[in-house]
Amino acid sequence: MAKRSGVFTRRMKGKLFIAFVIVLCFFGIVMVRLTFINFKDGAKYEKQVLSQQNYTTITLPYARGEIEDRNGTPLATSVKVYNLIIEPKNILAADTQRNKSLSKNQEKDIYQKTTVQSLVQFFDVTESELHKLIEENPNSYYQKVLKRLEYSEVKKFQDYLEKELKITNSKGKEETIKYGDRIKGVYFEEEYRRSYPNNELASNIIGFSNSGNVGSWGLEQQYNSTLNGINGREYGYINDNTQLERTTQPAQNGNNLITTIDVNVQRIAEKHIQKFMKKVGASKGVNVLVMDPNNGEVLAMATDSTYDLNNPREDSVLEKRYSKSEIQNMNEEEKLNAFNQVWRNESISKIFEPGSTFKPFTIAAGLEEHTLTGEETYYCKGYLQKESWPNMIKCHSYYQGGLGLITLSEALQHSCNVALMEINDANGKEIFTQYEKFFGFGKKTGIDLPGEENGLLIGADNMGSVDLATNSFGQNINVTMIQLASAFASLINGGHYYQPHLVKQIVDEDGSIVKNVDKVLVKDTVSKKTSEWLKDTLYQTVEKGTGKEAKIDGYTIGGKTGTAEKQPRSANTYVISFISFVPVEKPEVLIYVTIDEPNLVPQDQTGYAVRLSHDIMKELVTYMNIPKTKTVKETSKTKK
């Protein structure tokens, strides 16, 4: 059977024609409907489309948490500032729309001209700069013109926008508008600037914040995540009535730090340091640490090398430690290293040989291990000779022929090296090195600050007889101020070693407590009996020993001087120091002063450290309302 060829029949053609007509009618209906919609609601949908182009999400910055002293005085705050933003596309679009309906005699591009002129009038920017910014970025909705404007600057401009202006409209009639009606595409973006209201005060404790809310040094770095918050967002959209609406996810501000620092104690310490630097000076600096010995709270950490926290990178910051010519000759890396030396907190990061302030620990080890009873006597001839060392190991009394026969208490009062060497011979290197570590030397205290150093000790395996001898009076070991002060506090508070700290409470922006930082008892170091013996002997050290100049009428003060010869010994350079506390019966405040290479000849004159401590203590006992001690009053009357 023959196969039929494929042809369209008349019936098939008819069906195809009908389908074509139906599709054509459908498209016709769609076109008519679109024309109707465009005529009736075109503006509405155009606004929705444009809104999607013109509006994006806006970041709402958080405020970094504040840092306050123990009494609520601000140390670091976040101040709201404003960035001037223009929207070139919206400015140009407003003029394009207006220009369409203008007559030949009417001025064109009025919005761009008025906007630019107004900004020039109120802000430090030129017309040419603004016109160039608009013309080179015609499709941009975000161009940052100025950064970090103060509210007072922004307020003047905003008030200007609300002023009334009389104009003649396109119909030739006079009408009243606001100046702001002719200014398009301008808004102010909010952000926060870190501010330090006390400038240099406590700079080495607080540290500073860089752009992007990144803390550098001090509490700003240590508690960076606590101080930082979470940015918010603002979203814009068009509602059913073609009105632009915004929904906001508010920013979550950072938490605030309530510190243990007392700005008045800090200010007193810094004031007396500056007086000392002007009168005497020290080439390697002066540092003062003030603590509450009963809980590890740091009341002040003061230094001669302060800097303005609001301008931490100015060359003037370096001038306290370097000459102008030295600064000019520094390359970028050298300058950064120099800044870091100034920014660091030397109370926790500078290691040094403590000298005789270490002697109470050697004696404490002997009393605890019963190699000492407290009733020993020693004969000091001014030096001691060790078989393994060709040179004499001298006492400060060497040139006076020694101290002669002295008791254990007098050995500490008059800072006798000979007696301390004999005490450590009795202790032995195992006991001595065990107690060094037990008192926290050779490792970080864990204070809540960055940059803490470990210090340096000689282990028992490497310790010879000369090391054992010199270590007994604080030579050939290295400590930090915070290590020695924290350990010393345990000697005078009954034997309790508390972890030193600078933050006592974390609160949110509403003042609700997020965390209380209570005192942390790390260990008990000595017995109450040993503590009482040491307190009494340190009191006698001030009354009739090396710390006499620390006396304050009406108060019982205990303390210990320190003179450490630095390496190399041939240079005859020294760190002189004094650690003291008041009142002896129940200590309330501890002060540790170190002076590194004082401008003195010779440098080993500890009286200067004692007098600096005395001047600070004299103000503190009044400020802190520490009552006078009855025992001292009676003693004074007896003398009279």
Side-chain angles (χ1 to χ4, degrees), residues 30-65:
V30 171
M31 292 299 294
V32 171
R33 181 62 181 166
L34 288 174
T35 302
F36 175 77
I37 290 173
N38 184 57
F39 177 78
K40 182 181 178 183
D41 297 318
K44 168 184 174 181
Y45 292 111
E46 180 182 8
K47 186 172 182 180
Q48 289 181 337
V49 172
L50 288 174
S51 71
Q52 294 173 11
Q53 296 176 342
N54 291 354
Y55 297 97
T56 57
T57 61
I58 299 173
T59 299
L60 302 177
Y62 63 82
R64 188 171 169 90

Side-chain angles (χ1 to χ4, degrees), residues 69-70 202 205 259-267 269 288-293 295-302 501-502 504 588-590 620 623-624:
D69 89 329
R70 66 191 304 114
I205 302 173
T259 70
T260 63
I261 297 299
D262 187 317
V263 292
N264 293 315
V265 175
Q266 182 76 25
R267 191 172 282 114
V288 174
L289 173 60
V290 185
M291 292 181 68
D292 183 335
N295 52 25
E297 291 184 358
V298 176
L299 304 179
M301 284 176 165
H501 61 282
L502 284 141
K504 62 187 305 181
E588 293 186 37
V589 63
L590 177 154
L620 289 189
Y623 167 70
M624 298 177 69

Side-chain angles (χ1 to χ4, degrees), residues 482-539:
I482 194 64
Q483 283 177 341
L484 194 139
S486 300
F488 191 89
S490 75
L491 297 183
I492 63 172
N493 69 12
H496 313 301
Y497 185 105
Y498 294 101
Q499 184 176 39
H501 61 282
L502 284 141
V503 169
K504 62 187 305 181
Q505 200 173 64
I506 299 172
V507 300
D508 64 21
E509 61 180 316
D510 298 320
S512 300
I513 297 173
V514 175
K515 181 181 180 181
N516 279 317
V517 182
D518 298 320
K519 62 182 180 181
V520 176
L521 177 62
V522 178
K523 65 183 78 173
D524 286 334
T525 57
V526 297
S527 65
K528 186 175 181 181
K529 180 180 179 181
T530 296
S531 178
E532 291 297 324
W533 188 95
L534 285 168
K535 283 197 299 180
D536 181 67
T537 300
L538 293 167
Y539 167 63

Side-chain angles (χ1 to χ4, degrees), residues 220-274:
E220 289 278 29
Q221 178 177 328
Q222 183 74 19
Y223 288 91
N224 191 63
S225 59
T226 301
L227 292 165
N228 279 346
I230 301 172
N231 284 329
R233 287 279 180 180
E234 185 178 89
Y235 305 90
Y237 66 95
I238 300 296
N239 64 18
D240 293 338
N241 297 318
T242 70
Q243 299 290 322
L244 177 66
E245 290 189 1
R246 295 187 182 276
T247 182
T248 300
Q249 178 183 334
Q252 180 180 327
N253 293 332
N255 291 323
N256 304 326
L257 304 180
I258 310 300
T259 70
T260 63
I261 297 299
D262 187 317
V263 292
N264 293 315
V265 175
Q266 182 76 25
R267 191 172 282 114
I268 289 168
E270 288 189 14
K271 177 183 70 175
H272 286 288
I273 288 175
Q274 293 307 318

Side-chain angles (χ1 to χ4, degrees), residues 55-179:
Y55 297 97
T56 57
T57 61
I58 299 173
T59 299
L60 302 177
Y62 63 82
R64 188 171 169 90
E66 295 195 349
I67 302 175
E68 300 176 356
D69 89 329
R70 66 191 304 114
N71 301 311
T73 304
L75 301 175
T77 64
S78 291
V79 178
K80 187 177 286 187
V81 291
Y82 304 84
N83 299 326
L84 172 58
I85 310 298
I86 62 170
E87 304 167 314
K89 187 161 187 176
N90 284 340
I91 296 171
L92 295 173
D95 273 329
T96 299
Q97 185 67 28
R98 179 178 176 276
N99 290 345
K100 291 178 182 178
S101 60
L102 293 179
S103 61
K104 291 183 179 180
N105 296 327
Q106 288 184 299
E107 185 179 5
K108 293 185 177 182
D109 299 333
I110 190 68
Y111 290 125
Q112 181 174 341
K113 292 175 183 176
T114 306
T115 300
V116 167
Q117 289 170 358
S118 300
L119 292 177
V120 170
Q121 180 181 346
F122 286 93
F123 301 103
D124 185 19
V125 63
T126 65
E127 287 191 22
S128 60
E129 290 172 340
L130 289 172
H131 284 302
K132 183 179 180 181
L133 198 61
I134 293 170
E135 291 161 8
E136 291 183 352
N137 302 278
N139 295 314
S140 173
Y141 292 104
Y142 184 94
Q143 289 296 315
K144 189 177 291 186
V145 180
L146 294 173
K147 296 190 295 184
R148 298 197 165 190
L149 298 169
E150 300 292 338
Y151 176 70
S152 58
E153 299 174 271
V154 174
K155 182 68 165 56
K156 289 178 183 178
F157 180 74
Q158 291 177 331
D159 290 343
Y160 168 78
L161 299 182
E162 296 301 315
K163 288 185 178 180
E164 293 184 343
L165 170 69
K166 290 185 178 181
I167 63 167
T168 302
N169 61 26
S170 59
K171 297 179 180 179
K173 294 183 179 180
E174 188 178 84
E175 66 175 309
T176 300
I177 64 171
K178 292 181 179 179
Y179 277 94

